[in-house]
């Protein structure tokens, strides 16, 4: 499975971005999709995850109410809609597929990351 994340960029605080994660080699429906981020000098942290069956979703407390995960089965693509962005959201964002979990260890395949920079 190969994952290609995109959609990052520079945005002002309060703005929005939508990240995409396109999968090839296997349907995303066979596993959960997780989003993680890593800010400079910090460890990678969980952002959000969802499982196609039953539409179960997890969000980190820091992004609840601002970020939304979703997926398009026909496009084999997962999305992370990020609204009301804050400078603290600045990080490289990664998508991953694997177990439905907030732990990065549950995910087997990772995208290359896309940089999100939020200016104040």
């Amino acid at each position: 499975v190969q994952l290609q994340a995109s959609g990052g960029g520079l945005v002002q605080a309060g703005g929005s971005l939508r990240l995409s994660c396109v999968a090839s080699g296997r349907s995303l429906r066979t596993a959960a999709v997780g989003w993680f981020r890593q800010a400079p000098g910090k460890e990678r942290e969980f952002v959000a995850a969802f499982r196609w069956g039953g539409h179960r979703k997890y969000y980190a407390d820091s992004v609840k109410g601002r970020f939304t995960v979703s997926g398009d089965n026909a496009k084999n693509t997962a999305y992370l809609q990020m609204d009301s962005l804050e400078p603290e959201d600045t990080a490289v964002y990664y998508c991953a597929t694997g177990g439905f979990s907030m732990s990065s260890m549950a995910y087997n395949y990772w995208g290359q990351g896309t940089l999100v920079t939020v200016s104040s």
Side-chain angles (χ1 to χ4, degrees):
V1 179
Q2 290 189 329
L3 303 177
Q4 180 75 35
S6 63
L10 174 63
V11 64
Q12 288 188 332
S16 298
L17 283 173
R18 188 177 78 161
L19 305 184
S20 300
C21 178
V22 181
S24 59
R26 190 179 73 182
S27 171
L28 280 177
R29 287 188 61 89
T30 62
V33 175
W35 288 92
F36 293 79
R37 67 186 181 186
Q38 188 166 18
K42 295 186 177 181
E43 294 186 353
R44 188 172 298 187
E45 65 174 2
F46 170 79
V47 175
F50 84 101
R51 192 168 66 185
W52 299 88
H55 303 287
R56 290 184 62 189
K57 299 178 180 180
Y58 284 151
Y59 293 97
D61 288 343
S62 59
V63 306
K64 275 181 185 176
R66 300 188 299 120
F67 290 12
T68 305
V69 289
S70 64
D72 186 327
N73 184 37
K75 296 181 179 180
N76 209 25
T77 300
Y79 301 101
L80 180 66
Q81 177 67 41
M82 305 186 295
D83 299 317
S84 301
L85 283 161
E86 304 169 352
E88 292 74 22
D89 296 318
T90 294
V92 176
Y93 283 71
Y94 299 88
C95 62
T97 184
F100 184 52
S101 172
M102 293 184 284
S103 170
S104 62
M105 296 182 65
Y107 295 87
N108 308 110
Y109 301 98
W110 292 79
Q112 84 289 0
T114 184
L115 177 62
V116 172
T117 303
V118 184
S119 62
S120 58

